[in-house]
Structure formats: structure tokens, C-alpha cells
Amino acid sequence: TLDQIKICAELEDETVVESKDKIPEMVSKKVDRIKDNSNERTDIDMRAKIELIRVDNRLVHGQVGVTWVNALNIDTIVVVDDETAINVFSQKMMKTIAKASNVDIRFYSIADFMQVLRHNESSQRLFVVVRDIQTVYEMFKNGLTPQTVNIGNIHYGRGRVPFNKKMYVSEVDVDEINELIDQGFNLYYQDVPGTLDEVIDKIDFERLKRVRK
């Protein structure tokens, strides 16, 4: 094959082939060595690292683009949101904010992001921003390993109760938060870096409804 011819040519630089009978054996050893080297390279390749996932109904706005980017020392904001991934107008506004903060920004659907993350071999430091808890949960169901998740703004809506003044959760949110915690995710609430943060432990939704009335 062409691969064998290439390997044989490389072998000539390494040693003198004394007998044609030895070529298959030498080729086999060379292939094994290439595979071993390839595996070693894969092991030491730098992978893109998620520094933080933030849940924010507003996605990327001035607060995210300045305070969080500076605090995290990241080089790329990644917006994971099925709607924004196809909304050029929304992307344009967020690109302006990212540019002002001197970082790159990318937009993905949940499925596309998980595909890219699995095959990414860059050394990027990622700040992942999503709209809601459901997005984090879907990423987890699609293979996302446990991460640190900062919950910022989750606006009030029908069926939601206040966890605090800026975080309103539904029963579905609570179920998914609890499962993420069980799976090793670290969740906390914080509006901006430097302000008081609140570690989120498992939530009893019925109790939360009674306490927050």
C-alpha cells in the first residue's frame, strides 16, 4: 500500500534493510511505533477548558462582557443557545460587546457545541454563557462533564418562585439543578465578581414556595 511504501522509505533513513523478507516485520514494528506516538500526542494535546458556565437570561451584555471576562481571564466567550445561533441581529450586538473586551466570541446550538467540544484540541479558555438551566442540563445529557456553574439572572415567569431577588426557579429548574448537583456540578449564585456569592445546595421546591411567600 501507499502507507507501507512511505514507511519503507522512512525505514531506509533509520536502518539498512538486509533482507526483503524482513520488510513486513519492520513495517509492522514501524506502524506500531507510529500508533504509540500518535497516542502520546493525543494525551498531551491541550484541550479547550471551560473556566465557567454562566446562566443569564440576557446572555452577553455589558456586565458579562466586562466584569466576568476580566475576572476569569478568558480568551473566548461561547454562547450556547439554539435561538441565538441562528439570530444574526442578536449575534451582532454581542460581538460588539466581546470586541470591546478584546475577546473572541462564538455562537453554537447545544448539539453543535457538544460536537465541537468533543473534538476541540485548542488551548482556549472558555467562558460559556447560556440562557437557562435547561441548556446546562441538555449539555450534561449530551456528554458534558461536571463543571462550575454560575447562576446570574433568571427572570420571573409563571410558575416560578424566587430563590433570591434575581433568581426565579420553576419546578423543572429545581429538578434539573438537583440532578446536576448529584452528578458533581458545582452551582452558585453571584451577580458580578466581588459581590456576595451563594452556594446552591439541593433545593426542595415545595419548601421554597412556602418560605418565599
Side-chain angles (χ1 to χ4, degrees), residues 171-190:
E171 189 168 6
V172 172
D173 288 335
V174 169
D175 288 343
E176 293 177 347
I177 285 171
N178 289 342
E179 184 171 350
L180 290 170
I181 291 171
D182 283 340
Q183 295 299 324
F185 284 73
N186 297 310
L187 283 77
Y188 72 99
Y189 170 83
Q190 189 176 35

Side-chain angles (χ1 to χ4, degrees), residues 79-111:
V79 177
V80 181
D81 184 69
D82 289 350
E83 180 182 340
T84 305
I86 57 174
N87 188 324
V88 177
F89 178 73
S90 295
Q91 290 182 17
K92 185 176 180 179
M93 296 177 65
M94 296 183 203
K95 285 178 180 178
T96 301
I97 294 170
K99 184 177 181 180
S101 300
N102 198 33
V103 294
D104 292 331
I105 189 166
R106 300 287 184 270
F107 304 91
Y108 294 102
S109 65
I110 296 172

